[in-house]
Amino acid sequence: MNPEQNRRQCAVCEESEPSFIHTVSNSGVFRRLCTDCLLREHREIFCPVCVDLFNGCLPPDDGITCVNCPSIAHRSCSPPPSSFAASSSSVTSFTCPTCSDPNFSFFPKSHVPSSGNGTDGSGTLLDEKSAKALVAASKIAVVSMTDAAAMLKEEAVKKILDAKMAKMRAKDALGNLQDIVLRQKDSENSNPNKRKNSDR
């Protein structure tokens, strides 16, 4: 993560003041994403229509994949096929909201002026759809950071073990060196003529 980056700026859309910012880890790289960009980058793990996260694997007969991206929607959430599509193909085609509408957003990018009750305190109006999107994004971020913490812990434990092994090898090497020095001294003491010749 760039330390000079605005702490509130999204790393993808570069929105400087998103309503919410989430920290996630991708292959050890920490990034801050707004709610909309976070959901767009993880669209294969939730239904893009009802924004419910998939807990585990989605049953093949209960989901339909977008023709343009990895998004998977519940069949009950996807729009019913037209009569022509139903008669021409046994497989229902589905285009997720993100692919079908370039202006689609799971969550407002910027602060929306507050207009009374029902706000989150930051000025963003939270309807049911936005609230579900925020909850989904927050859960994804929690899982991402939990996994990152586990990986960092595992890496730290490995480094500690490596350091202990290196310390043991250094201790053994020092002991071997001391043994060599002692044997050399014993050899010189037992053969003084050899020592005199070496001093000449």
Side-chain angles (χ1 to χ4, degrees):
M1 183 185 299
N2 185 353
E4 297 181 357
Q5 179 186 343
N6 181 352
R7 293 181 64 85
R8 294 284 305 173
Q9 184 179 29
C10 175
V12 176
C13 67
E14 298 184 349
E15 171 63 44
S16 59
E17 288 295 330
S19 302
F20 296 91
I21 199 76
H22 310 269
T23 302
V24 293
S25 174
N26 184 9
S27 301
V29 178
F30 294 97
R31 306 165 70 207
R32 290 189 174 94
L33 304 178
C34 67
T35 302
D36 182 54
C37 289
L38 174 59
L39 292 175
R40 286 174 180 269
E41 289 202 352
H42 296 81
R43 63 181 73 180
E44 72 280 0
I45 62 175
F46 66 92
C47 174
V49 180
C50 68
V51 204
D52 281 345
L53 289 174
F54 301 138
N55 295 321
C57 297
L58 182 71
D61 57 347
D62 189 37
I64 180 169
T65 304
C66 175
V67 296
N68 296 322
C69 77
S71 288
I72 303 175
H74 298 110
R75 288 190 179 274
S76 58
C77 292
S78 62
S82 63
S83 57
F84 173 77
S87 61
S88 61
S89 175
S90 59
V91 179
T92 303
S93 63
F94 166 70
T95 305
C96 71
T98 306
C99 294
S100 59
D101 181 6
N103 296 319
F104 176 81
S105 177
F106 288 106
F107 196 86
K109 288 287 186 181
S110 304
H111 289 290
V112 179
S114 175
S115 62
N117 295 331
T119 67
D120 63 353
S122 65
T124 300
L125 298 173
L126 286 180
D127 55 16
E128 182 179 358
K129 172 181 173 294
S130 297
K132 291 188 69 174
L134 178 60
V135 170
S138 299
K139 288 181 177 179
I140 293 172
V142 167
V143 171
S144 173
M145 295 305 292
T146 300
D147 291 344
M151 290 180 61
L152 289 174
K153 182 179 180 180
E154 182 179 350
E155 183 179 350
V157 171
K158 183 178 182 299
K159 287 183 177 180
I160 291 173
L161 294 176
D162 289 344
K164 287 183 177 179
M165 292 298 296
K167 183 178 180 180
M168 291 177 60
R169 287 194 295 268
K171 185 177 180 180
D172 291 342
L174 182 60
N176 292 335
L177 178 61
Q178 290 176 341
D179 290 342
I180 293 173
V181 172
L182 290 175
R183 285 198 298 269
Q184 184 176 0
K185 286 184 177 181
D186 291 341
S187 175
E188 291 175 352
N189 291 334
S190 62
N191 191 354
N193 293 331
K194 182 178 179 181
R195 181 178 180 183
K196 290 180 180 180
N197 292 333
S198 63
D199 291 340
R200 290 178 181 177

